[in-house]
Amino acid sequence: MTLTLEHFYVLVGLLLGAVAVMNLLDRSNPRRVTTALFWGLYALLYLAGERMPPAAVGALMIAMALVAGFGWVRGGKPAMPAEDERRASAARLGNLLFLPALLLPIVTVVGATLLKDVQLAGLPMLDQKHLTLVSLGCGAIIALGAACWLTRSTPLQGVREARRLVDAISWAVVLPHMLAVLGLLFTEAGVGKAVAHVTTSYINMDSRLVAVAVFCIGMALFTIVMGNGFAAFPVMAGGVGIPVLVNMYGANPAVMAAIGMFSAYCGTLMTPMAANFNIVPAVLLDLPDKNAVIRAQVPTALPLLGANILLLYFLMNQ
């Protein structure tokens, strides 16, 4: 049997379903019913999303957004080992604690390179269309097994820890998924064409430097709004990158795309919409200022954006 991405979607769905049940049974959570509803709906998307009508999937995502928007997703108080017990376990294991984390990239690289041509009964062992993601899923399972072996725990404890982490991150776990959908919606709605019309109508694109600056700054700004450079790229590439930089000035599409994405990452450093990068670390570290990560990154992001503009200007025809 070929391991496909759908197998790991099922595992993620089951894990989210367990998180929903644990929250529902946790009477310390004042919003346990709505919190369980939120994670249950998300689990349903992974378990049956591809077999549901698109309108039903959209309705579920809107329902999730409403539940989170009204502040009805709260974390409970999952049972944890005593602090003394955890400190003693950490002292006993020492640097071996890093082994599960290191197994993730190692197994992913091995699966995507050394095992890509391995076949079982005439079929590829790993899904060739999503080789890296499937290898990452295998790495996660192997890392969980290593963690259980090292800590002498059970997979159930791994599920409890997953629930604790999901509760800490809260609705921001869903944000990358939502933003990816937003990018598709923008593309389908013709936002790229609208951007092309606005920029060519109100900005003088006869200057190559101006065109490059509009593209790079636009990539950063759309990423700030959408929280995801991959969602911003179709909009700016369709609006400025291809019609202006490539068609008018003969830019190398590969160079345009690469430096455009680097410019988008500058926007990632400056937006709370990129919650998994900027808000989640502040929450996990219990920082009093939830925007502390962003404030620390802005002095790097702005000069880097300027450097990307210059790089694209001088390298676009290479």
Side-chain angles (χ1 to χ4, degrees):
M1 183 180 67
T2 300
L3 275 176
T4 67
L5 199 57
E6 284 70 25
H7 293 121
F8 293 99
Y9 283 165
V10 171
L11 290 178
V12 172
L14 293 174
L15 178 61
L16 291 170
V19 170
V21 172
M22 289 180 176
N23 270 291
L24 183 63
L25 299 177
D26 185 0
R27 296 188 178 276
S28 68
N29 188 345
R31 297 288 187 181
R32 62 192 183 99
V33 175
T34 51
T35 301
L37 174 64
F38 181 85
W39 297 118
L41 291 176
Y42 199 29
L44 182 60
L45 289 176
Y46 274 99
L47 292 172
E50 290 192 354
R51 292 178 289 277
M52 296 172 62
V57 174
L60 289 182
M61 297 187 74
I62 292 173
M64 291 173 62
L66 290 174
V67 172
F70 281 108
W72 293 341
V73 181
R74 302 282 182 85
K77 296 180 180 179
M80 293 180 60
E83 184 176 350
D84 292 342
E85 182 181 342
R86 286 184 281 126
R87 288 184 179 275
S89 177
R92 175 178 61 84
L93 293 172
N95 290 332
L96 286 175
L97 282 170
F98 296 102
L99 179 61
L102 292 173
L103 282 173
L104 276 171
I106 291 173
V107 174
T108 301
V109 171
V110 169
T113 55
L114 301 181
L115 300 181
K116 64 178 181 179
D117 296 323
V118 174
Q119 295 189 351
L120 297 176
L123 295 174
M125 184 174 69
L126 303 177
D127 184 358
Q128 299 298 299
K129 292 182 179 179
H130 307 98
L131 188 59
T132 303
L133 291 175
V134 171
S135 300
L136 178 61
C138 294
I141 294 174
I142 293 173
L144 174 62
C148 292
W149 173 69
L150 285 172
T151 59
R152 302 168 188 170
S153 298
T154 64
L156 180 59
Q157 182 59 32
V159 175
R160 294 192 186 102
E161 291 298 321
R163 182 258 170 129
R164 181 182 64 81
L165 185 61
V166 166
D167 277 358
I169 300 174
S170 190
W171 56 265
V173 170
V174 185
L175 197 54
H177 196 164
M178 294 287 194
L179 292 173
V181 174
L182 180 62
L184 292 174
L185 287 175
F186 273 30
T187 302
E188 292 295 324
V191 176
K193 294 179 180 179
V195 170
H197 173 73
V198 170
T199 53
T200 54
S201 299
Y202 297 100
I203 300 176
N204 184 8
M205 291 291 183
D206 292 336
S207 169
R208 189 172 73 164
L209 180 60
V210 170
V212 168
V214 167
F215 175 69
C216 292
I217 295 173
M219 284 292 296
L221 290 177
F222 267 94
T223 302
I224 288 173
V225 172
M226 303 169 72
N228 190 311
F230 293 100
F233 183 76
V235 175
M236 288 307 301
V240 179
I242 295 175
V244 178
L245 298 185
V246 175
N247 292 342
M248 285 181 57
Y249 293 107
N252 184 327
V255 174
M256 178 272 294
I259 300 180
M261 287 304 299
F262 283 138
S263 302
Y265 299 150
C266 295
T268 300
L269 296 174
M270 299 186 287
T271 177
M273 292 296 288
N276 48 329
F277 291 105
N278 300 330
I279 302 302
V280 170
V283 172
L284 295 180
L285 294 172
D286 291 325
L287 299 179
D289 181 2
K290 301 308 180 186
N291 293 315
V293 175
I294 296 174
R295 296 182 194 280
Q297 292 174 163
V298 167
T300 300
L302 292 176
L304 187 58
L305 180 59
N308 284 329
I309 293 173
L310 294 177
L311 282 174
L312 184 55
Y313 178 76
F314 288 110
L315 299 178
M316 61 187 290
N317 297 115
Q318 298 298 317

